[in-house]
Amino acid sequence: MPAVVTGANRGIGAAIFKELQTRGIDTIGTSRTPTNGFITADVTKKHSVDLLAKHLDGQPVPLLVCNAGVLLDRNEKLADGYAPEIWSACFEVNVTGVFLTVQALLPQLQQAAVDQGSAKIAIVSSVMGSSARPSGGTYIYRASKAAATNLGRNLATDLHDLGIAVGIYHPGWVRTDMGGPSADISESESAAGLVERFEALSLGTTGCFLNWDGAEIDF
Ligand SMILES: NC(=O)c1ccc[n+]([C@@H]2O[C@H](COP(=O)([O-])OP(=O)(O)OC[C@H]3O[C@@H](n4cnc5c(N)ncnc54)[C@H](OP(=O)(O)O)[C@@H]3O)[C@@H](O)[C@H]2O)c1
């Protein structure tokens, strides 16, 4: 029964993939472009995530980590930036991509829930999507992560009775291509904390929004 991690070719996804494997958990990683040992999947394309599900060939999936994400509006100016195309491109990955991946793998998650009593979906969101912390700027990324968190909360409601728990996580400010070299923590530190959170996730805590270190985050 493999865990599945999207966007596992670099950054936090690669570190989560490695951490799961180190803990002896059979894990399949996906990457947008062909990468040795990974299944190719662009989470914005329905046919691509459907092919991922097909590739898994009916195997139950006990853990799906929706990690793939983009931050495209770091340098935009309120007066004349934030073009509609950037909104679409960001939401396609950070929101639609999460939904399409969950939808495509739902039969395999349900099968894992039947076989072992529960299955889990982990959504890598961000504290930048928390409406309780409106620091301003980066409107597109913030709105997309708020939507991803909201999606996770509603999936938690709908999937509870199917035995599928949904957790939503902030990975910390992490030294990746997205986080930059000045960020607080390393990829491996973040991944070790996140995987502990995934292990603790249950139907009793479904819908939680947690920091990588386990602290609760306000929605
Ligand atoms: N780094 C931080 O400080 C931080 C903080 C809060 C939240 N996050 C979230 O954590 C997650 C991972 O971030 P990161 O820092 O590791 O970012 P990253 O280094 O930029 O890596 C992003 C990953 O997502 C993949 N991806 C992008 N678009 C995709 C698509 N359409 N289909 C499939 N995969 C796609 C990338 O694949 P390619 O290599 O093909 O581009 C790459 O594997 C994201 O959801 C991000 O929003 C990060």
Side-chain angles (χ1 to χ4, degrees):
M1 279 204 217
V4 174
V5 182
T6 65
N9 55 303
R10 64 186 169 97
I12 296 164
I16 293 171
F17 177 83
K18 200 171 155 196
E19 181 67 30
L20 288 168
Q21 285 207 319
T22 302
R23 294 180 186 223
I25 298 164
D26 179 20
T27 307
I28 286 174
T30 79
S31 67
R32 179 164 47 169
T33 51
T35 308
N36 214 4
F38 289 150
I39 299 177
T40 305
D42 181 335
V43 298
T44 66
K45 309 271 186 288
K46 181 163 166 44
H47 69 87
S48 184
V49 289
D50 284 348
L51 270 178
L52 164 64
K54 201 170 167 198
H55 196 101
L56 291 168
D57 197 21
Q59 292 179 87
V61 170
L63 171 66
L64 167 63
V65 184
C66 295
N67 162 77
V70 290
L71 194 175
L72 304 174
D73 58 332
R74 200 189 309 271
N75 300 313
E76 297 298 309
K77 293 195 176 61
L78 180 56
D80 58 1
Y82 298 100
E85 296 75 21
I86 310 178
W87 282 92
S88 311
C90 184
F91 270 70
E92 266 186 25
V93 181
N94 294 359
V95 189
T96 314
V98 173
F99 181 80
L100 291 179
T101 310
V102 170
Q103 189 179 46
L105 297 191
L106 199 50
Q108 275 111 323
L109 286 156
Q110 274 186 259
Q111 191 56 51
V114 168
D115 291 352
Q116 60 175 36
S118 71
K120 304 177 187 189
I121 296 168
I123 296 176
V124 182
S125 186
S126 171
V127 73
M128 287 179 72
S130 166
S131 299
R133 301 190 199 187
S135 317
T138 332
Y139 302 111
I140 300 175
Y141 182 74
R142 286 182 191 281
S144 75
K145 288 301 188 180
T149 299
N150 180 278
L151 174 58
R153 293 280 288 170
N154 285 287
L155 286 171
T157 300
D158 288 338
L159 300 180
H160 180 277
D161 290 351
L162 296 177
I164 302 170
V166 183
I168 305 148
Y169 303 95
H170 172 59
W173 183 25
V174 189
R175 289 188 290 276
T176 63
D177 293 338
M178 185 187 291
S182 314
D184 290 335
I185 57 172
S186 67
E187 298 164 345
S188 55
E189 206 176 351
S190 172
L194 287 171
V195 170
E196 275 181 33
R197 307 283 81 75
F198 304 163
E199 286 183 347
L201 175 64
S202 70
L203 290 173
T205 59
T206 191
C208 61
F209 186 17
L210 299 178
N211 197 25
W212 66 280
D213 62 4
E216 284 188 19
I217 300 175
D218 289 335
F219 297 99

